[in-house]
């Protein structure tokens, strides 16, 4: 497929994106296309800008140069566009960020009711369906603080899904979890991937990347250094930096 | 050392003696060691010395009925003074024949407060109830219709005046404070500057100064012929003052909310107003209940300062009652009486806030 055709079919499109924090150049000429249904796994050493990049996609961070087009809408400072994009893009955070003053069910129905203007009953039905999907149907009336980390992260995934997003962004979803809880979250994510959700995941879970990813993106010092399908990426990385990184994380 | 492994479970045992029950409690709280025992005995002795004279003064030696102040002098308290001045202290210069009106007003306030304390009532209904309630309060105090004589605001005094100033001050000061706190954290420099300027200015001057400004200076700035009621001016000063103080308390709460909360709300597509109303404020406010109530209690008691612009709040009517030549010198009785009224309201606020705290902290309990 030619570069133009790819661009036309893509649901996320980053063109020459730059970002600075003060003097610090965090994103340097980042170009990325994600097509509908594609699973992109972003990896790289800490401080490489991978979280910043993914957070630019739903404008939690502002880019200063270049273009970002999501679901056919260009991200500008226009609030209408930003809110429209955020409705279609779900995000799962490293720290879960559930709303601690609301029950699990209220966490799930809040945005559908207030943003999508769904009736409460319908929103609750959807919420229960997704709680079932993430395998914690019996926790609906608890508060987030009463759940384990793994359960909280699955609630967070369900909360995003309740908005029926076209795209899901995962920002190191398992990094804050105890080892025995990582699998339950990855299982949910794998299930989601199998259903054809478009996903961009920042993660260090290379096993997940291998089985689920369509495309690996390696970032270092604010640049995309290498992109390749997982098989090729792990079998023969091209750049020295990728090789070093892979040897470091696969060593143990 | 791999052989340290225990397969036999340890059975549950009874706790050691004297750690539970009445004896256990006494030992842990009153007689836990030499220092504790000495302190307990010393406190008991102090109470034994202090309580009997108070009881004697307030109850045993007290005089409950007397025709005038002369007949009321003795070793104990003169509660006959309170009986004589009861109506005046509570309702001040409100026409005696119309006393039922301020009585009903106080009743309405108590009912509205009771309704507001019931969490099941929270919502639009409560707002309407309060709006209607305050309008009825105003109409009853003012009169001038349905056979009720017109009573100027200068005659509004005592407990109704204190309640009006305090309740309306909190009711309007609180939203003002929230807006100021949000404005102070705004991304827009102009909004931020205005809010910071307002808060620092109002907080930086004594309430007395504000009241003076409202009562003496403001009329000078108004065009000739335009007058604003003195009570309204005092009320505005109160709202402004309460707003500035509450703003800083609320800001403390806003700052304690992790950034992840607003990011999660943003990522779900919530607007600024939705995010603030549904996610940020509920958490921020429940965090700052203790300092909020502290400020509310302060505002309630600060209403006593309106004396300096000659409005007769509860404390001032008590002082005025003392000026009666027939009943002179019963300061302690008068101040104990109004003290108990102030204390009841403040203590109620304090207890209720603790209940609210427990309710709001449900989610944090494991």
């Amino acid at each position: 497929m030619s570069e133009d055709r790819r661009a036309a079919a893509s649901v996320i499109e980053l063109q020459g994106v730059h970002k600075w924090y003060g003097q610090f150049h965090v994103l340097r000429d980042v170009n990325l296309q994600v097509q509908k249904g594609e699973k992109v796994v972003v990896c790289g050493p800490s401080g490489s800008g991978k979280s910043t990049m993914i957070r630019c996609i739903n404008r939690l961070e502002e880019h200063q140069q270049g273009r970002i087009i999501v679901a056919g809408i260009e991200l500008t400072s226009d609030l209408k566009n930003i809110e429209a994009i955020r409705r279609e893009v779900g995000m799962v955070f490293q720290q879960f960020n559930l709303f601690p003053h609301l029950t699990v069910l209220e966490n799930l129905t809040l945005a559908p009711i207030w943003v999508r203007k769904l009736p409460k009953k319908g929103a609750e039905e959807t919420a229960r369906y997704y709680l079932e999907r993430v395998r914690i149907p019996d926790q609906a009336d608890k508060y987030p603080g009463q759940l384990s980390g793994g359960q909280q992260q699955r609630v967070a995934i369900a909360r995003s899904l309740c908005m029926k997003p076209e795209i899901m962004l995962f920002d190191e979803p398992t990094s804050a979890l105890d080892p025995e809880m990582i699998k339950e979250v990855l299982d949910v994510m794998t299930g989601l991937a199998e259903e054809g959700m478009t996903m961009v995941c920042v993660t260090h879970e290379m096993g997940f990347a291998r089985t689920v990813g369509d495309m690996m993106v390696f970032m270092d010092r604010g640049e995309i250094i290498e992109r390749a399908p997982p098989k090729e990426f792990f079998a023969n990385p091209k750049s020295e930096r990728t090789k070093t990184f892979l040897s470091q994380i696969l060593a143990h | 050392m791999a052989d340290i492994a225990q397969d036999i479970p340890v059975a549950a045992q009874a706790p050691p003696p004297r750690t539970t029950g009445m004896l256990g409690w006494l030992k842990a709280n009153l007689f836990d060691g030499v220092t504790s025992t000495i302190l307990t005995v010393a406190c008991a002795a102090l109470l034994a010395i202090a309580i009997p004279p108070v009881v004697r003064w307030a109850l045993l030696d007290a005089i409950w009925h007397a025709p005038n102040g002369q007949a009321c002098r003795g070793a104990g308290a003169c509660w006959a003074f309170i009986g004589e001045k009861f109506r005046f202290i509570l309702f001040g210069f409100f026409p005696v024949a119309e006393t039922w009106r301020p009585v009903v007003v106080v009743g309405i306030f108590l009912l509205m407060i009771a309704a507001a304390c019931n969490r099941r009532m929270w919502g639009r209904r409560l707002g309407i109830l309060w709006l209607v309630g305050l309008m009825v309060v105003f109409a009853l105090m003012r009169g001038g219709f349905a056979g009720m004589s017109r009573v100027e605001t200068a005659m509004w005094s005592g407990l109704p005046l204190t309640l009006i100033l305090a309740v309306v001050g909190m009711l309007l000061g609180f939203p003002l404070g929230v807006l100021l706190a949000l404005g102070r954290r705004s991304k827009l420099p102009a909004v931020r500057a205005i809010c910071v300027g307002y808060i620092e200015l109002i907080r930086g001057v004594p309430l007395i100064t504000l009241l003076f400004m409202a009562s003496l200076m403001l009329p000078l700035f108004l065009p000739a012929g335009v007058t604003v009621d003195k009570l309204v001016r005092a009320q505005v000063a109160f709202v402004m003052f309460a707003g500035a103080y509450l703003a800083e308390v609320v800001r403390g709460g806003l700052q304690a909310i992790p950034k992840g909360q607003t990011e999660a709300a943003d990522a779900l597509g919530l607007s600024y107003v939705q995010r603030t109303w549904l996610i940020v404020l509920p958490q921020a406010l429940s965090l700052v209940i203790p300092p909020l109530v502290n400020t509310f209690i302060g505002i309630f008691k600060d209403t006593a300062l309106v004396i300096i612009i000659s409005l007769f709040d509860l404390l001032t009517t008590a002082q005025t009652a003392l000026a009666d030549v027939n009943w002179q010198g019963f300061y302690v009785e008068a101040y104990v009486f109004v003290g108990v009224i102030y204390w009841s309201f403040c203590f109620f606020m304090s207890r209720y806030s603790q209940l609210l705290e427990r309710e709001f902290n449900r989610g944090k309990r494991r």
Side-chain angles (χ1 to χ4, degrees):
Chain A
M1 208 189 297
S2 76
E3 214 33 43
D4 277 354
R5 289 274 314 280
R6 269 185 74 88
S10 58
V11 283
I12 303 174
E13 166 102 37
L14 278 73
Q15 300 172 351
V17 171
H18 288 263
K19 177 174 176 62
W20 291 263
Y21 286 128
Q23 289 295 311
F24 181 56
H25 201 171
V26 257
L27 291 182
R28 307 177 186 190
D29 193 27
V30 169
N31 292 284
L32 181 75
Q33 288 96 31
V34 181
Q35 282 154 64
K36 196 163 171 51
E38 197 176 14
K39 287 96 186 122
V40 175
V41 175
V42 185
C43 62
S46 69
S48 59
K50 49 197 195 305
S51 279
T52 307
M53 181 190 75
I54 197 175
R55 288 158 59 88
C56 279
I57 295 173
N58 66 349
R59 195 68 165 198
L60 289 183
E61 304 281 352
E62 214 168 300
H63 61 287
Q64 284 136 345
Q65 235 179 65
R67 298 177 71 196
I68 299 179
I69 301 152
V70 182
I73 308 166
E74 177 162 5
L75 270 174
T76 58
S77 51
D78 184 349
L79 262 180
K80 282 238 151 48
N81 282 358
I82 296 172
E83 281 172 14
I85 286 173
R86 284 172 176 170
R87 283 195 289 272
E88 307 308 328
V89 180
M91 185 163 210
V92 175
F93 299 87
Q94 182 177 355
Q95 299 296 339
F96 329 138
N97 293 343
L98 293 176
F99 305 129
H101 62 303
L102 302 177
T103 63
V104 166
L105 194 65
E106 288 166 341
N107 264 281
L108 265 60
T109 55
L110 183 97
I113 290 173
W114 290 87
V115 178
R116 290 258 191 247
K117 312 287 178 202
L118 291 184
K120 189 165 176 239
K121 204 154 167 283
E124 282 181 357
E125 274 167 25
T126 314
R128 288 189 193 281
Y129 169 76
Y130 282 112
L131 278 181
E132 192 92 41
R133 284 279 314 275
V134 300
R135 291 171 222 145
I136 31 177
D138 46 348
Q139 312 284 3
D141 297 318
K142 288 199 180 160
Y143 285 90
Q146 296 167 309
L147 306 182
S148 73
Q151 288 173 326
Q152 289 195 45
Q153 193 59 299
R154 285 183 282 152
V155 171
I157 294 172
R159 177 174 71 177
S160 289
L161 293 177
C162 281
M163 286 293 282
K164 309 246 164 94
E166 281 184 44
I167 301 159
M168 284 287 283
L169 308 176
F170 292 85
D171 188 3
E172 305 205 27
T174 55
S175 299
L177 295 175
D178 291 338
E180 74 269 23
M181 292 169 181
I182 291 177
K183 186 174 179 297
E184 63 192 44
V185 171
L186 290 181
D187 284 349
V188 167
M189 290 169 64
T190 308
L192 203 57
E194 280 162 3
E195 277 168 36
M197 175 67 79
T198 311
M199 292 162 73
V200 180
C201 305
V202 173
T203 184
H204 296 296
E205 296 297 330
M206 289 303 134
F208 170 80
R210 252 187 249 266
T211 49
V212 171
D214 296 319
M215 179 69 79
M216 294 295 298
V217 170
F218 174 70
M219 286 183 78
D220 191 22
R221 290 183 213 149
E223 290 174 85
I224 293 184
I225 303 293
E226 191 159 341
R227 73 191 86 199
K231 247 187 205 146
E232 201 183 318
F233 180 82
F234 288 108
N236 56 59
K238 289 186 189 65
S239 107
E240 270 319 303
R241 281 195 263 179
T242 316
K243 280 178 199 162
T244 318
F245 174 75
L246 283 178
S247 70
Q248 278 162 349
I249 62 162
L250 297 176
H252 52 263
Chain B
M1 299 291 278
D3 54 348
I4 303 182
Q6 192 167 357
D7 285 333
I8 307 154
V10 178
Q13 296 164 359
R18 300 225 183 122
T19 55
T20 56
M22 172 83 159
L23 273 180
W25 184 89
L26 279 178
K27 177 154 181 0
N29 293 292
L30 297 179
F31 302 105
D32 189 20
V34 179
T35 322
S36 163
T37 307
I38 293 173
L39 283 174
T40 301
V41 172
C43 288
L46 264 180
L47 288 175
I49 296 168
I51 290 176
V54 172
V55 172
R56 230 175 293 137
W57 178 83
L59 298 172
L60 303 179
D61 294 347
I63 296 169
W64 301 88
H65 301 285
N68 56 47
Q70 287 306 341
C72 199
R73 293 195 196 280
C78 171
W79 297 126
F81 168 76
I82 300 299
E84 175 75 18
K85 296 295 179 188
F86 179 76
R87 199 212 73 87
F88 183 79
I89 294 177
L90 286 183
F91 307 120
F93 298 106
F94 209 89
V96 180
E98 307 273 333
T99 300
W100 67 271
R101 282 157 57 182
V103 171
V104 172
V105 162
V106 171
I108 291 174
F109 268 118
L110 296 181
L111 279 178
M112 290 197 300
I113 292 167
C117 287
N118 184 349
R119 279 200 69 194
R120 267 169 302 172
M121 292 280 293
W122 289 14
R124 190 163 299 166
R125 269 190 312 166
L126 188 65
I128 294 168
L129 180 81
W130 267 78
L131 199 65
V132 173
L134 287 175
M135 287 194 309
V136 173
V137 161
F138 181 74
L140 274 176
M141 290 300 280
R142 192 161 185 271
F145 65 97
M148 289 188 285
S149 63
R150 173 81 180 266
V151 179
E152 295 303 327
T153 54
M155 295 289 158
W156 299 12
S157 35
L159 187 57
L161 181 74
T162 293
L163 286 177
I164 289 172
L165 284 172
V167 169
V168 176
M170 295 173 196
L171 210 62
L172 300 182
F174 184 55
L176 175 65
V178 169
L179 287 177
L180 285 167
L182 291 171
R184 191 166 182 167
R185 289 164 54 87
S186 165
K187 282 195 195 112
L188 307 171
V191 173
R192 206 165 50 226
I194 290 170
C195 292
V196 172
Y198 176 92
I199 292 168
E200 297 303 343
L201 182 71
I202 303 291
R203 231 170 27 137
V205 297
L207 177 56
I208 293 194
T209 317
L210 268 186
L211 288 170
F212 259 126
M213 293 279 281
S215 90
L216 302 172
M217 303 284 287
L218 190 66
L220 301 179
F221 296 123
L222 291 174
V226 178
T227 55
V228 180
D229 188 275
K230 188 157 74 180
L231 178 58
V232 173
R233 281 179 273 149
Q235 186 70 77
V236 169
F238 258 100
V239 170
M240 289 170 69
F241 183 74
Y245 270 85
L246 291 168
E248 286 300 276
V249 173
V250 173
R251 188 166 70 96
L254 293 176
Q255 275 171 346
I257 303 304
K259 204 164 166 250
Q261 290 291 305
T262 53
E263 285 180 354
D266 283 344
L268 285 168
L270 267 65
S271 67
Y272 172 82
V273 174
Q274 289 171 334
R275 177 183 93 195
T276 305
W277 184 252
L278 299 167
I279 305 301
V280 178
L281 279 181
Q283 295 186 60
L285 294 181
S286 75
L287 275 177
V288 293
I289 288 175
L292 269 184
V293 172
N294 196 30
T295 310
F296 280 147
I297 287 176
I299 293 165
F300 185 78
K301 291 183 299 184
D302 279 346
T303 54
L305 287 172
V306 292
I307 184 177
I308 64 127
I309 54 167
S310 48
L311 285 174
F312 285 74
D313 73 297
L314 183 59
L315 190 66
T316 316
T317 53
Q319 281 167 340
T320 311
L322 286 166
D324 185 340
V325 282
N326 287 322
W327 294 88
Q328 266 178 332
F330 299 107
Y331 295 98
V332 182
E333 289 84 347
Y335 287 127
V336 165
F337 179 65
V338 290
V340 166
I341 297 177
Y342 277 107
W343 179 83
S344 310
F345 279 98
C346 296
F347 184 66
F348 171 78
M349 284 192 251
S350 161
R351 298 307 300 192
Y352 180 67
S353 77
Q354 288 172 15
L355 192 131
L356 269 191
E357 260 180 81
R358 275 201 300 278
E359 288 247 318
F360 285 143
N361 285 340
R362 267 177 321 182
K364 285 180 206 129
R365 251 184 283 142
R366 282 213 131 220

